[in-house]
């Protein structure tokens, strides 16, 4: 008899479906995290630590200069630092 907690679903879902579900959950989490970061930047930028403000300015300069790959990497770094600080 299947365990009540998982209703036996894990035993019946194919691996490719589990991979798809994991992908959907991860994409949703990433989207939510980016929305939280955007809200933080828009609503509380002046209260962010200076290193995050500086990193954001560097990212925007790279973006405006057409260095989109560099800007993307800087944004990922910004997200990592904001996570480490418990801001998102």
């Amino acid at each position: 008899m299947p365990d009540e907690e998982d209703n036996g679903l894990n035993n019946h879902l194919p691996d490719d479906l589990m991979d798809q579900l994991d992908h959907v959950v991860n994409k949703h989490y990433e989207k939510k995290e980016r929305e939280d970061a955007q809200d933080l930047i828009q609503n509380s930028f002046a209260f962010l630590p200076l290193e995050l403000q500086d990193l954001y300015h560097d990212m925007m300069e790279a973006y405006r200069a057409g260095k989109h790959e560099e800007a993307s990497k800087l944004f990922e770094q910004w997200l990592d630092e904001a996570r480490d600080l418990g801001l998102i």
Side-chain angles (χ1 to χ4, degrees):
M1 181 163 187
D3 190 349
E4 281 186 39
E5 285 186 42
D6 69 8
N7 294 324
L9 291 177
N10 288 336
N11 297 331
H12 300 292
L13 292 176
D15 288 341
D16 61 333
L17 182 56
M18 287 300 295
D19 290 343
Q20 289 175 353
L21 289 172
D22 285 343
H23 180 72
V24 168
V25 168
N26 288 335
K27 285 296 181 184
H28 176 75
Y29 179 76
E30 289 172 9
K31 181 182 176 193
K32 174 73 172 116
E33 187 175 66
R34 290 178 188 279
E35 289 170 353
D36 290 347
Q38 184 178 3
D39 288 343
L40 187 63
I41 291 166
Q42 288 177 349
N43 298 323
S44 303
F45 188 81
F47 302 108
L48 292 175
L50 290 178
E51 63 266 17
L52 284 179
Q53 290 182 27
D54 290 343
L55 191 55
Y56 182 79
H57 287 297
D58 292 345
M59 179 197 67
M60 291 306 298
E61 284 180 21
Y63 182 80
R64 288 183 187 123
K67 300 176 183 177
H68 298 132
E69 187 174 331
E70 180 182 340
S72 180
K73 288 178 184 179
L74 288 169
F75 183 66
E76 292 302 322
Q77 183 181 348
W78 189 96
L79 282 173
D80 288 342
E81 290 188 26
R83 270 190 231 105
D84 290 346
L85 293 170
L87 298 173
I88 56 171

